[in-house]
Amino acid sequence: MQGFIDFLTFRSFISPHVLVVCYYIGALGVPVGSWFFARWIKRKYWVVSDIYESSKTTIFNITRTKDRMLFYVLFALFFFCMEILWRMMFEFLIAYLQMREALLELATH
């Protein structure tokens, strides 16, 4: 019962657990969800599908294979960097909460 009272009076935080869930939603859910959303838009609206197909053909015709590969490598590199930054942001937030808990522990002794 004391744990529930601590939860209601904000003496114990649920933030570390919620932050882990939010991290995985952002790291895995957003890229996969965006891909499914883009596919859904392409299937639902024929104009978008036509624009996509014509632009894909045009890009394929005016660029070299080397340039397309460079684009894919850069995209993967940027995606990886954003995933690292996303992870670091959540690590800092969790570390802040752990420091808060440690300082509260020191203050009570």
Side-chain angles (χ1 to χ4, degrees):
M1 187 66 175
Q2 183 62 34
F4 185 66
I5 292 172
D6 287 344
F7 171 73
L8 292 176
T9 57
F10 290 94
R11 286 191 196 118
S12 75
F13 288 154
I14 63 167
S15 298
H17 308 293
V18 173
L19 282 173
V20 171
V21 171
C22 289
Y23 166 75
Y24 283 109
I25 288 172
L28 302 173
V30 170
V32 171
S34 298
W35 184 72
F36 279 116
F37 180 70
R39 288 191 51 169
W40 176 77
I41 290 290
K42 186 180 162 202
R43 276 186 279 129
K44 182 159 177 71
Y45 301 105
W46 61 270
V47 173
V48 174
S49 182
D50 289 347
I51 292 170
Y52 170 75
E53 292 300 328
S54 65
S55 64
K56 187 168 90 171
T57 304
T58 304
I59 296 273
F60 188 77
N61 289 335
I62 65 172
T63 58
R64 298 178 302 188
T65 304
K66 179 182 170 185
D67 295 333
R68 287 191 301 274
M69 287 297 127
L70 179 63
F71 173 77
Y72 291 133
V73 168
L74 285 175
F75 177 81
L77 180 68
F78 290 148
F79 180 79
F80 181 72
C81 287
M82 290 306 295
E83 288 288 330
I84 295 293
L85 289 173
W86 184 253
R87 171 70 184 230
M88 289 171 55
M89 181 179 70
F90 278 89
E91 285 177 357
F92 279 114
L93 289 170
I94 291 171
Y96 168 76
L97 292 171
Q98 289 173 346
M99 284 187 282
R100 179 196 173 277
E101 290 293 324
L103 289 173
L104 285 176
E105 182 81 23
L106 286 174
T108 58
H109 289 300

